[in-house]
């Protein structure tokens, strides 16, 4: 299997990252959420300008294999993981692992005491394997549709006080 390469976000990635996001939500979260919830979370029609702005602010790391974008994830200055998505066709091939290891390494370099994320029900097990624990279960409303997720937190040993 070809090696996964991580690189910083480029403005030219915007459309493909939406494809990855849509694929991840509809292909990997479909056992945990209804069709209505999936459509609200990752609609086919979306505001491309708002999406581009969000990515430019988040500045995610992009995972590629053989030149194709297969995942992305970001780590905000306060330790919040805002977006973490792997294309459905690349699931189970180490993409999430590569992204998570990179984010945790970035957190350590920044001296963060913890990292946290609002994690879909589908991703709780993955985050749990890295030591994240559920702080609370919450319901968010996206485009008028309630979705359940979990606030998960990872305390980083040796960082901060």
């Amino acid at each position: 299997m070809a090696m996964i390469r991580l690189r910083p976000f480029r403005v030219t990635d915007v459309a493909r990252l939406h494809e990855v996001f849509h694929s991840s939500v509809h292909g990997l979260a479909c056992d945990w959420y209804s069709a209505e919830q999936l459509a609200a979370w990752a609609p086919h029609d979306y505001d491309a300008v708002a999406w581009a702005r969000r990515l430019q602010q988040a500045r995610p790391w992009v995972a590629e294999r053989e030149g194709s974008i297969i995942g992305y994830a970001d780590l905000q200055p306060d330790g919040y993981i805002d977006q973490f998505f792997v294309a459905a066709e690349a699931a189970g091939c180490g993409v999430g692992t590569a992204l998570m290891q990179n984010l945790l390494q970035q957190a350590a370099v920044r001296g963060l005491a913890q990292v946290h994320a609002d994690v879909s029900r589908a991703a709780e097990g993955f985050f749990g394997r890295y030591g994240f624990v559920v702080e609370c279960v919450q319901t968010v409303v996206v485009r008028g549709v309630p979705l359940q997720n979990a606030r998960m937190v990872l305390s980083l040993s040796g960082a901060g006080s």
Side-chain angles (χ1 to χ4, degrees):
M1 183 170 295
M3 193 171 80
I4 297 165
R5 184 175 84 92
L6 300 182
R7 63 164 175 80
F9 166 79
R10 297 180 195 135
V11 174
T12 54
D13 297 332
V14 169
R16 179 61 185 136
L17 292 185
H18 190 270
E19 292 171 9
V20 168
F21 165 69
H22 192 272
S23 163
S24 182
V25 169
H26 289 272
L28 302 176
C30 55
D31 290 341
W32 287 269
Y33 297 94
S34 71
E36 179 188 28
Q37 289 172 317
L38 296 172
W41 183 7
H44 210 54
D45 295 325
Y46 66 100
D47 182 337
V49 173
W51 176 257
R53 188 178 316 116
R54 182 173 179 196
L55 287 173
Q56 288 168 353
Q57 290 169 348
R59 312 239 18 107
W61 288 91
V62 175
E64 293 181 325
R65 186 173 51 223
E66 296 177 345
S68 293
I69 295 174
I70 53 175
Y72 69 99
D74 67 70
L75 179 65
Q76 297 307 301
D78 66 354
Y80 182 62
I81 299 171
D82 184 31
Q83 297 185 63
F84 193 112
F85 294 97
V86 173
E89 68 272 12
C93 297
V95 181
T97 297
L99 287 166
M100 183 62 80
Q101 288 173 344
N102 180 59
L103 294 187
L104 296 179
Q105 181 180 39
Q106 294 293 320
V109 166
R110 296 179 195 178
L112 296 173
Q114 71 171 21
V115 292
H116 58 282
D118 295 316
V119 177
S120 75
R121 294 170 58 201
E124 279 184 41
F126 173 82
F127 276 74
R129 286 194 292 279
Y130 288 90
F132 284 78
V133 295
V134 174
E135 188 176 76
C136 67
V137 174
Q138 53 198 7
T139 299
V140 295
V141 178
V142 180
R143 293 178 185 83
V145 179
L147 298 162
Q148 194 176 70
N149 67 21
R151 168 62 57 106
M152 295 186 78
V153 177
L154 173 66
S155 294
L156 301 172
S157 58
S161 53

